[in-house]
Amino acid sequence: MPQHIAIIMDGNGRWAKRRGMPRTAGHAAGASTFKAIARHANKIGVPFMTVYAFSTENWKRPPEEVDNIMKLLKDYLKDAKNFKDENIKVRFIGNLEVLDEEIKALIKEDEEASKDATGMTLNIALNYGGRDELVRATKEICKRVQSGALSVDEIDEQTVSDSLYTAGQPDPDFIIRPSGEYRLSNYLIWQSAYAEFWFSDILWPDFKPRDLDRAIRDFGHRNRRFGGV
Ligand code: FPP
C-alpha cells in the first residue's frame, strides 16, 4: 500500500467538452469524483493523500471558471460530513493568504474540526505551486540563519523537507495523473523525488474507486530501488 498518494485531478474540461457541456460542469463532476476517491482511499487504509485542486498558475483561467472551482471548494468545506463522518483529517497546502475571507475561515474551521481524526490525512493543494513552496521554504530557512537560530552548515535535506507545507508527512510515493498527460505541472516537485508514477487516459470525472485499486495493485509490482541495486 502506498503511504502517500498524490493525484492530479486532470481532464475535467475535456470531459465536459465531449458532452457539449460547459467546463464548469466538468469541475462539478470532478468534485464528485474527488469525494468518492477520498472516501475510498480512506476506507482501504491509505494513510496520506494529496489532491491538486488549484495551482498558482490556474489564476490564468477565465474568472468564471476560477469562481466556479472556488465555489465547489466552499461547498465541500461547508459540508463537513464529507470528512467528519469519514474520520478524515483535512489540511490545505499552498499560499492561502490571498484567498477570499470566506474560504480562509472555512479552511480554518475544518482543519480545526478534523485535527484529531485518526483516518487518512487529506491534503488539498490550493493556490499551490512546487516552486513557490521552495521559494517560501528558502526564505524561511534564510530568516532562521539571519536570526542565528541555524547555521549554514547545519542545512541539510531534512531542513528543507521540514520547511515545506508537507513537513512531518511521508513524501508521496505514488503519483497518479489521469487524462493522458505526462507531466508533473509544478506539483510536489521536491517531495516526488522518488515517487512512482501512474498515468492513464481516463478523464478525472470518469475515474472510479476500482481504478484506484488497479493503480495500487500496479504500485505493488514496482521494484523500488532508491538508487540502489
Ligand atoms: C484540471 O482539469 C482540474 C482543475 C484545474 C481543477 C480541479 C478541481 C476540482 C476537481 C473541483 C474542486 C475540488 C475540490 C477539492 C472540491 P482541467 O480543467 O485542466 O481539464 P482539461 O485539461 O481537460 O481542460
Side-chain angles (χ1 to χ4, degrees):
M1 178 65 80
Q3 292 304 292
H4 188 163
I5 301 182
I7 305 182
I8 302 180
M9 305 187 288
D10 199 11
N12 297 343
R14 277 163 286 167
W15 183 91
K17 197 173 169 198
R18 280 183 199 174
R19 284 166 178 73
M21 289 151 85
R23 292 179 57 83
T24 48
H27 294 312
S32 298
T33 296
F34 153 70
K35 284 183 240 174
I37 294 300
R39 207 175 302 129
H40 183 65
N42 182 42
K43 198 175 83 191
I44 62 175
V46 174
F48 291 87
M49 193 170 111
T50 302
V51 294
Y52 212 170
F54 196 85
S55 76
T56 45
E57 289 73 35
N58 286 152
W59 297 106
K60 292 179 204 151
R61 295 183 177 217
E64 315 81 71
E65 186 173 338
V66 172
D67 288 350
N68 171 253
I69 294 174
M70 294 300 165
K71 181 171 180 313
L72 288 166
L73 271 158
K74 282 180 196 167
D75 291 346
Y76 174 75
L77 287 166
K78 280 179 193 160
D79 194 4
K81 72 169 165 37
N82 279 325
F83 41 87
K84 217 170 182 183
D85 295 354
E86 307 286 332
N87 192 24
I88 289 176
K89 182 171 171 171
V90 70
R91 293 194 63 250
F92 279 76
I93 64 169
N95 179 2
L96 308 176
E97 286 141 43
V98 299
L99 300 170
D100 80 43
E101 293 305 322
E102 188 193 356
I103 210 161
K104 279 198 277 194
L106 284 166
I107 287 174
K108 212 168 147 198
E109 215 173 280
D110 288 345
E111 284 186 340
E112 179 61 28
S114 68
K115 72 176 190 322
D116 297 322
T118 52
M120 182 174 79
T121 297
L122 171 65
N123 299 316
I124 300 180
L126 185 56
N127 194 23
Y128 173 87
R131 288 184 173 183
D132 182 61
E133 181 180 34
L134 282 167
V135 169
R136 292 162 71 87
T138 306
K139 285 183 181 165
E140 194 187 300
I141 294 166
C142 288
K143 279 184 195 155
R144 286 171 56 205
V145 170
Q146 243 173 1
S147 73
L150 181 73
S151 78
V152 170
D153 290 337
E154 275 170 336
I155 299 172
D156 58 13
E157 292 188 7
Q158 197 60 45
T159 318
V160 178
S161 291
D162 290 346
S163 308
L164 302 176
Y165 296 123
T166 49
Q169 301 188 0
D171 283 337
D173 45 3
F174 197 33
I175 296 188
I176 294 179
R177 181 161 198 164
S179 96
E181 309 287 355
Y182 301 89
R183 30 171 204 275
L184 200 46
S185 301
N186 203 14
Y187 194 39
L188 303 168
I189 51 178
W190 170 278
Q191 297 91 329
S192 64
Y194 281 100
E196 295 291 326
F197 288 79
W198 195 85
F199 298 105
S200 154
D201 286 339
I202 303 167
L203 300 175
W204 176 248
D206 290 330
F207 197 91
K208 298 279 180 294
R210 64 169 181 273
D211 297 312
L212 183 68
D213 294 338
R214 189 160 56 93
I216 291 174
R217 268 198 306 278
D218 284 357
F219 176 86
H221 295 122
R222 304 277 176 98
N223 179 8
R224 308 188 73 212
R225 290 187 296 280
F226 301 97
V229 286

